[in-house]
């Protein structure tokens, strides 16, 4: 079946460092891909999405490109802030349900 | 404010005592679903509903029931809770079951079954 694999955390960075969180997927069809973020004590919020191959999603300085040839959707940000500390989930869907990765905790230190 | 509201936020109960977690959305969304979040597993779908009176099983439905009598509400029912249902539960809603549609999540219900 379909699945999503994310790099294990926690990822600990200093403020203004470059961020990459790897995400690869296995899919039988052509899903949409998402990154959701979960701040402490809150539900998940959509960070960005891409609906077809070569699409780039972007929001709040974060970017990810839907790479069909490498089945990847890596999350990047050029300069992280303390306020970016959260758990990040990569997910795919054909519509009925989101299939999530296990999540990557990001800790940004001042 | 557009939101998905779950209640309660925290619940400790004993094995076998029936409980209901409520979920309500104010966005007139057709599609609603329940997920559970467990360490190392991400979120897994329990049940979903495409519209009023239309519900179906997700990936981990055993031990759960749902109903969709009104568009805005989608309660999760545990008839006889067991310790392996200790988890963090999220309700989500979206305009439709289309693959391009954003899902909105509630704040979560942390359930402990002892």
């Amino acid at each position: 079946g379909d699945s999503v694999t994310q790099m294990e955390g926690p990822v600990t960075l200093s403020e203004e460092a470059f961020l990459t969180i790897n995400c690869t997927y296995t899919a039988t069809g052509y899903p949409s891909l998402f990154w959701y973020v979960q701040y402490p004590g809150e539900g998940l919020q959509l960070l960005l999405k891409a609906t077809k191959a070569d699409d780039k999603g972007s929001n709040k300085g974060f970017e990810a490109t839907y790479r069909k040839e490498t089945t990847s959707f890596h999350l990047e940000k050029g300069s992280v802030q303390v306020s970016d500390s959260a758990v990040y989930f990569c997910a795919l869907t054909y519509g009925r349900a989101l299939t999530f990765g296990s999540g990557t905790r990001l800790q940004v230190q001042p | 404010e557009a939101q998905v509201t779950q209640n309660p936020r925290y619940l400790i109960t004993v094995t076998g005592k029936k409980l209901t977690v409520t979920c309500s959305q104010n966005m007139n969304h057709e599609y609603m679903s329940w997920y559970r979040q467990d360490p190392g597993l991400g979120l897994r779908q329990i049940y979903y509903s495409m519209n009023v009176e239309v519900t179906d099983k997700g990936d981990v439905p055993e031990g759960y029931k749902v109903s969709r009598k009104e568009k805005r509400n989608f309660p999760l029912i545990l008839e006889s809770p067991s310790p392996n249902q200790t988890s963090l539960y999220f309700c989500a809603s979206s305009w439709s079951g289309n693959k391009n549609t954003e899902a909105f999540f509630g704040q979560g219900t942390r359930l402990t079954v002892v």
Side-chain angles (χ1 to χ4, degrees):
Chain A
D2 299 333
S3 64
V4 176
T5 303
Q6 292 181 234
M7 59 190 292
E8 297 236 355
V11 174
T12 303
L13 296 173
S14 298
E15 207 164 22
E16 298 184 2
F18 184 86
L19 168 71
T20 299
I21 299 178
N22 290 336
C23 170
T24 57
Y25 66 91
T26 302
T28 53
Y30 302 97
S32 292
L33 301 176
F34 297 80
W35 277 100
Y36 280 86
V37 58
Q38 185 179 31
Y39 297 103
E42 298 185 13
L44 282 72
Q45 305 172 23
L46 178 67
L47 182 59
L48 55 84
K49 71 177 183 182
T51 59
K52 61 183 186 299
D54 300 325
D55 268 3
K56 177 187 283 189
S58 61
N59 186 27
K60 300 181 182 179
F62 291 90
E63 293 183 340
T65 301
Y66 190 163
R67 301 279 189 205
K68 190 166 181 294
E69 63 276 11
T70 54
T71 61
S72 65
F73 193 54
H74 304 322
L75 182 68
E76 296 182 335
K77 186 176 186 183
S79 176
V80 294
Q81 306 300 312
V82 171
S83 57
D84 293 327
S85 297
V87 180
Y88 292 81
F89 290 92
C90 185
L92 66 79
T93 186
Y94 299 98
R96 174 184 73 76
L98 288 155
T99 298
F100 286 90
S102 56
T104 302
R105 182 175 300 277
L106 170 65
Q107 298 172 335
V108 181
Q109 298 174 336
Chain B
E1 180 188 355
Q3 58 186 5
V4 178
T5 304
Q6 295 178 229
N7 281 295
R9 293 288 309 278
Y10 302 91
L11 179 60
I12 301 174
T13 190
V14 296
T15 299
K17 185 177 181 182
K18 180 179 179 180
L19 66 92
T20 299
V21 183
T22 64
C23 173
S24 180
Q25 50 93 4
N26 63 359
M27 295 169 280
N28 202 35
H29 284 170
E30 289 189 347
Y31 186 88
M32 298 184 74
S33 58
W34 277 101
Y35 290 84
R36 59 179 288 173
Q37 182 181 12
D38 301 292
L41 296 176
L43 284 78
R44 295 174 293 167
Q45 192 185 58
I46 303 170
Y47 266 94
Y48 66 96
S49 170
M50 298 292 286
N51 213 324
V52 175
E53 303 291 2
V54 181
T55 63
D56 208 346
K57 297 176 181 178
D59 297 318
V60 288
E62 293 77 21
Y64 305 94
K65 286 175 57 178
V66 293
S67 68
R68 187 92 180 273
K69 293 184 170 60
E70 304 166 285
K71 197 171 188 178
R72 63 183 294 126
N73 296 324
F74 191 46
L76 179 69
I77 303 156
L78 284 72
E79 295 264 354
S80 183
S82 62
N84 65 11
Q85 293 179 297
T86 293
S87 188
L88 180 58
Y89 291 87
F90 288 100
C91 180
S93 73
S94 57
W95 284 110
S96 72
N98 180 287
K99 71 170 189 164
N100 300 330
T101 306
E102 172 186 358
F104 292 81
F105 286 81
Q107 290 188 291
T109 296
R110 186 167 293 281
L111 172 65
T112 302
V113 183
V114 299

